[in-house]
Amino acid sequence: DRKKLHTAPVGQVFRLRPFHVLVATGGGYAGYRKYEDYKVEQLEKRGIEVPVKLASEWEVALYKSVPTRLLSRAWGRLNQVELPTWLRKPVYSLYIWTFGVNMKEAAVEDLHHYRNLSEFFRRKLKPQARPVCCVHSVISPSDGKILNFGQVKNCEVEQVKGVTYSLESFLGPRISTEEMHFNQAPPGNSFQQQLVTKEGNELYHCVIYLAPGDYHCFHSPTDWTVSHRRHFPGSLMSVNPGVARWIKELFCHNERVVLTGDWKHGFFSLTAVGATNVGSIRIYFDQDLHTNSPSYSKGSYNDFSFISNNNKEGIPMRKGEHLGEFNLGSTIVLIFEAPKDFKFNLKAGQKIRFGEALGSL
């Protein structure tokens, strides 16, 4: 009465596929990098300077093999699942405790009010929680940590101290002068010089990192007019300071939305950079923008002009006005033209809140 036991070859039972190998290897390496970042942070807290060690090409390729775009879309859908009323307070309380969220600043402090994680991430603040500085010409567009700031030199911008990226790679090819109302620069000038429209001006930059516990909306940093939007559907690697110190041109690899226009001193741009679990970047006045789309074409970008026959000027923005939001937290990069006597009122590594001064003339 014995039954025959049919067995399949081991290769058929346990078949490794290239995708699984890439996910497992890439995910394991990403975890290892997180641990290395933690060790660096601990050394810096003790006042020990850590030399910059950039990732090699194979390390970047391995990191990019992790399907962060797919994972971010899955995370976005999970965030939109409505939580039972009894579960909301425990879930949100754990998040508040983990990331140090100050709910006393929220317009609605009752945790039961937020139906899902997405609503909680995008919570609004009380009007008096973030007074907008009226004295200085440029304010912080968001809460966050100042990673770097200063003048742009040799067409390179610092993402963190000692690690740079190409200005042209980040912003993409220069937009037509007719569309931007800019003066035509001589053909021999560098990309940086072409962005400077007024004699005696310099190009400045400021990088602000939004942690998961920060207020996730961002606002207009000054009075300016937005003329053009350029969307780069890139990768979604982490943009925390440890990774920014490790991967050169990290911001050029990642998905980002570049808003360009002009203010009273010339060229002005604000770029919202996506990151892992932050594929969703929303610009309130731009309903045609769709980020982290499944149709991803590497190295491509999409342009959209706010200049039309009915609107010759673009989108006017007032200092402090609501501009957009992230779904979790990421990075904002300001690149703008200003006179040589423009001064930043900042220190690298400091925490800043929306509405506080970045700099002035």
Side-chain angles (χ1 to χ4, degrees):
D1 295 329
R2 292 180 180 178
K3 295 181 180 179
K4 287 186 177 180
L5 180 63
H6 296 277
T7 59
V10 175
Q12 294 181 13
V13 176
F14 184 71
R15 183 178 297 170
L16 284 175
R17 297 183 179 180
F19 177 75
H20 297 155
V21 174
L22 285 174
V23 171
T25 308
Y29 191 77
Y32 166 74
R33 285 306 316 172
K34 286 284 187 182
Y35 174 67
E36 289 293 309
D37 295 340
Y38 171 77
K39 290 198 300 183
V40 169
E41 287 179 5
Q42 295 305 307
L43 290 173
E44 288 181 340
K45 285 181 180 178
R46 292 160 55 187
I48 301 173
E49 187 172 347
V50 181
V52 175
K53 184 181 179 182
L54 294 177
S56 61
E57 289 185 10
W58 72 265
E59 287 178 307
V60 176
L62 185 58
Y63 190 2
K64 293 175 83 171
S65 71
V66 181
T68 51
R69 295 179 62 82
L70 179 62
L71 293 173
S72 297
R73 285 196 293 274
W75 174 253
R77 292 186 179 182
L78 179 64
N79 286 349
Q80 293 173 4
V81 174
E82 185 169 342
L83 296 176
T85 306
W86 62 268
L87 189 58
R88 294 175 188 176
K89 189 172 182 178
V91 170
Y92 301 147
S93 295
L94 178 61
Y95 186 90
I96 290 168
W97 177 79
T98 303
F99 296 108
V101 179
N102 183 4
M103 284 302 294
K104 291 183 178 180
E105 297 177 332
V108 180
E109 296 183 39
D110 182 11
L111 297 181
H112 296 100
H113 169 80
Y114 303 99
R115 295 173 297 175
N116 51 48
L117 282 166
S118 182
E119 286 189 1
F120 179 71
F121 292 146
R122 295 180 287 106
R123 64 193 177 277
K124 297 297 187 288
L125 299 181
K126 295 172 181 174
Q128 67 273 21
R130 296 290 185 275
V132 175
C133 176
C134 299
V135 178
H136 294 78
S137 55
V138 184
I139 63 169
S140 177
S142 67
D143 289 6
K145 178 181 180 181
I146 301 295
L147 294 189
N148 215 298
F149 62 92
Q151 283 190 20
V152 177
K153 298 179 181 178
N154 301 320
C155 296
E156 291 281 322
V157 185
E158 280 195 314
Q159 58 191 33
V160 293
K161 185 178 180 181
V163 182
T164 63
Y165 56 94
S166 163
L167 180 65
E168 187 168 6
S169 297
F170 181 68
L171 295 178
R174 188 166 179 261
I175 301 155
S176 66
T177 54
E178 293 80 7
E179 187 175 331
M180 296 294 294
H181 307 294
F182 286 169
N183 298 322
Q184 183 66 48
N189 283 3
S190 68
F191 183 80
Q192 178 178 338
Q193 291 171 326
Q194 291 177 32
L195 295 180
V196 177
T197 64
K198 298 181 180 180
E199 187 176 351
N201 281 2
E202 297 286 349
L203 206 61
Y204 297 87
H205 74 98
C206 183
V207 183
I208 305 170
Y209 167 69
L210 288 76
D214 288 328
Y215 168 56
H216 299 321
C217 297
F218 51 93
H219 301 244
S220 176
T222 192
D223 295 335
W224 65 308
T225 302
V226 184
S227 304
H228 188 273
R229 180 257 291 162
R230 177 168 285 162
H231 173 217
F232 292 84
S235 302
L236 288 173
M237 294 186 284
S238 171
V239 293
N240 74 57
V243 177
R245 190 186 296 109
W246 178 54
I247 298 181
K248 183 179 174 62
E249 299 205 331
L250 171 64
F251 300 153
C252 298
H253 290 294
N254 272 16
E255 180 153 12
R256 59 198 182 278
V257 176
V258 182
L259 300 178
T260 52
D262 60 286
W263 70 317
K264 60 183 178 181
H265 299 297
F267 173 81
F268 199 97
S269 73
L270 180 148
T271 301
V273 183
T276 308
N277 293 337
V278 199
S280 175
I281 303 171
R282 183 183 173 195
I283 304 298
Y284 294 138
F285 58 74
D286 188 356
Q287 301 302 315
D288 295 322
L289 175 65
H290 300 286
T291 57
N292 197 14
S293 170
S295 55
Y296 162 50
S297 180
K298 186 177 180 180
S300 66
Y301 61 83
N302 308 303
D303 282 340
F304 184 85
S305 175
F306 299 110
I307 304 293
S308 64
N309 291 332
N310 297 326
N311 182 4
K312 300 292 185 181
E313 299 299 324
I315 309 294
M317 297 297 301
R318 304 295 296 176
K319 184 168 64 173
E321 185 177 352
H322 279 83
L323 182 54
E325 63 188 31
F326 292 110
N327 214 22
L328 183 60
S330 191
T331 298
I332 289 179
V333 180
L334 302 179
I335 298 175
F336 56 94
E337 170 186 2
K340 291 182 178 179
D341 56 351
F342 180 87
K343 300 294 182 184
F344 284 103
N345 302 316
L346 303 171
K347 292 181 180 179
Q350 78 171 70
K351 291 287 292 182
I352 197 165
R353 305 202 302 177
F354 155 61
E356 294 179 345
L358 286 183
S360 189
L361 297 169

